Amino acid sequence: MSNLDMTAMYAMHDALRRELTHMARVTAKTGDEPRRILRTAAGWHMFKKSLRIHHTAEDDALWPALRQSLADQQDDLVLLEVMEAEHAAIEPLMGAIDAALTDPDADRDRLGDLTDALATSLAAHLKHEEDAAIPLIQRTATVQQWAHFGQVHGQRIGPDAPRLIPWLLEGTDEQTVATMLAPLPEPVRAAYVAQWQPAYACLDHWSAES
């Protein structure tokens, strides 16, 4: 079994769960306020961007690599198919939420129903991945395959790093921050401390003014 560092995977999952909590708080408000807030909230846009980066990186760079090593392990191959299917089921929910946010005639209850469905589907997927897929990754993935996945994930964050890295690390402990920043070039680490994190901390991510 590989001894792969799963810090980044769990940090991403924790960040997504954190944002689902914020989203539930927003959509519990009455009247048109949930739609007004979500339509422009920085938190909703960062959540969508981060989730899409995470899922497409897994679909493009992680699951295919595992398939090569699991060619004769039918149960494990089925699990990878289920992971992709869960990703595919979540994406349309985000699109439907965006459509509801821009449709002035949309039923107000629909937005709440859609965000509830997104939260339920994503929470179930994250748990399934942690319970079943992460142990499979630990058993199967090589250090090189895991590093490649991390590289693809990082490349897709790209120019959004000044916002998405502080977003990912919000509320994490010092060890997680240190582990996540360690592979980055020193100028990037310095920018995170001096510029990115302070700027992020000043944002009100879940208000209409963000």
Side-chain angles (χ1 to χ4, degrees):
M1 178 180 288
S2 302
N3 186 24
L4 304 174
D5 187 346
M6 292 286 160
T7 301
M9 181 72 83
Y10 283 108
M12 176 60 73
H13 286 196
D14 289 346
L16 293 169
R17 290 185 175 107
R18 180 194 72 223
E19 298 304 287
L20 288 176
T21 300
H22 288 306
M23 199 182 310
R25 190 174 299 120
V26 169
T27 55
K29 297 178 184 294
T30 59
D32 195 52
E33 194 170 2
R35 187 169 64 179
R36 183 177 62 83
I37 292 173
L38 280 184
R39 190 163 51 234
T40 58
W44 170 238
H45 294 288
M46 286 187 284
F47 170 86
K48 289 187 297 179
K49 171 75 78 172
S50 298
L51 181 57
R52 284 170 174 150
I53 287 171
H54 184 59
H55 280 180
T56 60
E58 287 181 337
D59 290 344
D60 295 344
L62 184 56
W63 310 143
L66 295 183
R67 279 196 179 91
Q68 293 180 359
S69 304
L70 295 168
D72 59 347
Q73 304 294 321
Q74 189 58 37
D75 289 346
D76 293 334
L77 291 173
V78 169
L79 174 60
L80 299 183
E81 291 177 1
V82 171
M83 289 293 108
E84 289 184 327
E86 289 175 0
H87 289 179
I90 289 166
E91 178 61 31
L93 290 171
M94 292 194 290
I97 290 169
D98 278 335
L101 294 177
T102 57
D103 181 1
D105 298 321
D107 187 330
R108 289 175 179 173
D109 291 338
R110 176 164 170 75
L111 179 60
D113 291 343
L114 289 169
T115 54
D116 286 349
L118 174 62
T120 299
S121 296
L122 181 54
H125 168 67
L126 296 177
K127 186 177 189 306
H128 192 192
E129 188 166 277
E130 290 169 356
D131 290 348
I134 287 180
L136 178 61
I137 294 166
Q138 287 282 23
R139 291 198 310 270
T140 308
T142 67
V143 172
Q144 292 78 14
Q145 288 169 336
W146 186 242
H148 175 66
F149 165 65
Q151 182 181 31
V152 170
H153 203 295
Q155 288 171 345
R156 294 184 182 185
I157 291 175
D160 294 308
R163 271 205 173 183
L164 294 190
I165 292 179
W167 175 92
L168 178 63
L169 297 177
E170 179 186 341
T172 60
D173 57 38
E174 292 182 4
Q175 183 58 52
T176 298
V177 173
T179 299
M180 294 291 291
L181 295 182
L184 302 178
E186 193 281 329
V188 175
R189 297 197 302 271
Y192 170 84
V193 173
Q195 301 168 23
W196 299 358
Q197 201 283 326
Y200 177 85
C202 291
L203 288 174
D204 185 355
H205 310 109
W206 289 98
S207 76
E209 290 73 35
S210 295

